Amino acid sequence: MNLKLVGSSLIVAGTALGAGMLAIPMVLAQFGLLWGTLLMLFIWAGTTYAALLLLEASCKVGGGVSMNAIARETLGKGGQLVTNGLLYALLVCLLMAYIIGAGDLVQKVTTSMGLPLSTISSQVGFTVLVGLIVSAGTGVVDKLNRGLFIGMIVALILTLFSLAPNVSFEGLSEVVNADKMALIKQSSVLFTSFGFMVVIPSLVTYNKEASKNQLRNMIIVGSTIPLVCYLLWLFAVVGNLPPHEL
């Protein structure tokens, strides 16, 4: 077993999994599980296909290059500008969400330990800590991510087991909002919940000895893990709480 490829799949999955665990049940429950699940599958298929295309582009230009260089080589200057603009917009949104959320968590933990921090201090502290870890290289991130990801999956499994006995099948079939346009408008939440494409160029470099088929499998497995987690979490939450309470 190639542990680097396994770890890379977990990086893909870990990049996707996050705040979507909270947001997805709240935005999809009102439309019913059938339509919510179909939309999630559609977004997952689209983002996975986009990631595979990015993999092809990265391999075409030789690997070991940034998203900026890939866009320049494959799309020209115009495509490079558009790609950079969209990429930076996505990254800024994701970073803001995680820094604010993690900073709040750090603040609560330190306060419970008798070391109260201001909101700004907790956010800056979290950003500096994560920045140091990321700057240490993909290998360090890979090893740390494996441990954290396993812990997250264990916590999710325990939570699902605790919720499973109380699942109501009536709640699973309830539809509060039948407006399909409103459903489509919620797709942005799902797009960000599968926003793992930004790590593909780095993982191609990290797994430079791997074949293209192995890299494809890495992406497919890595993107499928959050899909399964999101679906199980959606079923468990909606089955325990009616849509109007989410």
Side-chain angles (χ1 to χ4, degrees):
M1 179 183 293
N2 191 325
L3 291 180
K4 287 180 67 175
L5 284 171
V6 172
S8 297
S9 291
L10 296 183
I11 288 178
V12 171
T15 304
L17 282 169
M21 295 293 286
L22 299 176
I24 286 176
M26 290 189 291
V27 300
L28 293 185
Q30 58 184 311
F31 303 104
L33 283 181
L34 174 61
W35 288 104
T37 300
L38 289 176
L39 179 62
M40 191 183 301
L41 289 172
F42 178 76
I43 298 297
W44 166 79
T47 52
T48 302
Y49 182 65
L52 292 174
L53 291 178
L54 179 57
L55 170 64
E56 292 290 335
S58 181
C59 293
K60 180 180 179 180
V61 299
V65 295
S66 64
M67 189 88 76
N68 179 56
I70 294 173
R72 176 65 180 271
E73 291 293 328
T74 57
L75 301 175
K77 288 185 178 180
Q80 180 186 22
L81 292 175
V82 173
T83 300
N84 285 345
L86 295 175
L87 175 64
Y88 294 150
L90 173 64
L91 291 178
V92 167
C93 291
L94 292 175
L95 285 174
M96 287 177 61
Y98 281 110
I99 290 174
I100 292 173
D104 182 61
L105 180 61
V106 170
Q107 186 178 31
K108 291 180 179 179
V109 171
T110 55
T111 300
S112 66
M113 297 171 60
L115 300 170
L117 293 176
S118 66
T119 301
I120 297 297
S121 298
S122 60
Q123 292 174 355
V124 171
F126 168 78
T127 304
V128 171
L129 175 61
V130 173
L132 291 174
I133 295 173
V134 172
S135 64
T138 307
V140 174
V141 174
D142 177 18
K143 293 178 176 61
L144 178 62
N145 183 72
R146 293 180 201 177
L148 294 176
F149 192 86
I150 291 172
M152 180 175 62
I153 293 298
V154 170
L156 176 61
I157 291 174
L158 293 176
T159 303
L160 291 174
F161 270 110
S162 67
L163 293 175
N166 300 317
V167 170
S168 169
F169 290 98
E170 293 181 2
L172 292 177
S173 60
E174 185 175 354
V175 177
V176 175
N177 188 349
D179 185 355
K180 298 303 183 291
M181 286 303 299
L183 173 64
I184 294 174
K185 291 178 181 178
Q186 303 299 334
S187 60
S188 59
V189 175
L190 295 178
F191 272 119
T192 55
S193 298
F194 289 101
F196 56 83
M197 285 77 72
V198 294
V199 301
I200 301 302
S202 297
L203 294 180
V204 171
T205 304
Y206 183 52
N207 296 280
K208 56 186 176 182
E209 72 284 351
S211 67
K212 189 179 292 186
N213 283 335
Q214 288 177 317
L215 293 174
R216 288 196 191 104
N217 292 335
M218 172 198 77
I219 292 174
I220 294 172
V221 171
S223 66
T224 303
I225 292 174
L227 172 68
V228 173
C229 291
Y230 285 146
L231 288 175
L232 291 176
W233 180 245
L234 178 64
F235 293 161
V237 172
V238 175
N240 278 265
L241 292 173
H244 63 271
E245 291 187 11
L246 291 172

